[in-house]
Amino acid sequence: ISSALAYTMTSATFIALYIVTFNLNQLFHHFSGFAPTYAALLEALRPVYPQWTVRPPGVAIEARFFAPLYVLAVALLYLVGLARGAHVLLSVNGLLVSWVYLRYFLPHDGVAGDASDAMAFADFFPGPLQPVAVVLSNRVYALLKLLHICPLGSAKE
């Protein structure tokens, strides 16, 4: 389901880009693959193995950073011409769909969603950027509650 939603969101993005730019090429992007599934699976590791750390030579990477690092890697591949922009969008959308499901809808301890600080949106960002991410995510969450997209009071940002 996360891949289907990620593909739908990516298609909607290209349609919106067409509406804004009237560039017909926006309607004919070819995209496929498992990019949103990879991002979603990597994000699903975060609540399952919160303290898991992979230690390649010279670095330690916590499980909470797997999905954001994957999206960053796809974005870097796009910048050097080895990936398409659609794959970046698919990866970002796969990550976001998975995170929203885990944060607000997946049953956790008898409640819908995981309100723990470990699942906060700001946790995707390095320490110095987290206060800015908290402010932005609180505003988006308030808007989503107002539109009845996210459950009311299920998880705090």
Side-chain angles (χ1 to χ4, degrees):
I1 291 183
S2 66
S3 289
L5 285 173
Y7 275 100
T8 302
M9 291 169 61
T10 301
S11 297
T13 301
F14 285 125
I15 291 169
L17 283 172
Y18 168 72
I19 291 170
V20 170
T21 65
F22 295 106
N23 179 353
L24 205 55
N25 291 330
Q26 299 299 334
L27 297 178
F28 297 102
H29 281 277
H30 295 277
F31 50 93
S32 61
F34 288 103
T37 305
Y38 295 146
L41 288 174
L42 289 170
E43 179 58 19
L45 289 175
R46 185 154 82 152
V48 175
Y49 301 108
Q51 301 302 321
W52 189 34
T53 302
V54 175
R55 300 183 192 284
V59 71
I61 305 169
E62 295 178 28
R64 67 186 178 125
F65 294 121
F66 290 170
L69 285 174
Y70 170 73
V71 171
L72 181 64
V74 172
L76 290 174
L77 288 173
Y78 168 72
L79 290 175
V80 296
L82 296 175
R84 294 182 180 161
H87 287 100
V88 177
L89 278 174
L90 286 169
S91 299
V92 168
N93 290 333
L95 171 63
L96 290 176
V97 167
S98 177
W99 177 78
V100 166
Y101 175 73
L102 292 169
R103 177 73 171 177
Y104 297 106
F105 299 103
L106 180 71
H108 181 77
D109 294 333
V111 198
D114 185 352
S116 69
D117 288 338
M119 286 301 295
F121 184 75
D123 203 40
F124 285 128
F125 301 93
L129 296 177
Q130 285 185 359
V132 175
V134 166
V135 170
L136 292 175
S137 65
N138 285 343
R139 298 237 170 121
V140 170
Y141 180 63
L143 175 66
L144 294 176
K145 282 193 329 186
L146 183 69
L147 297 172
H148 300 288
I149 293 174
C150 280
L152 298 174
S154 67
K156 64 174 182 136
E157 266 308 293

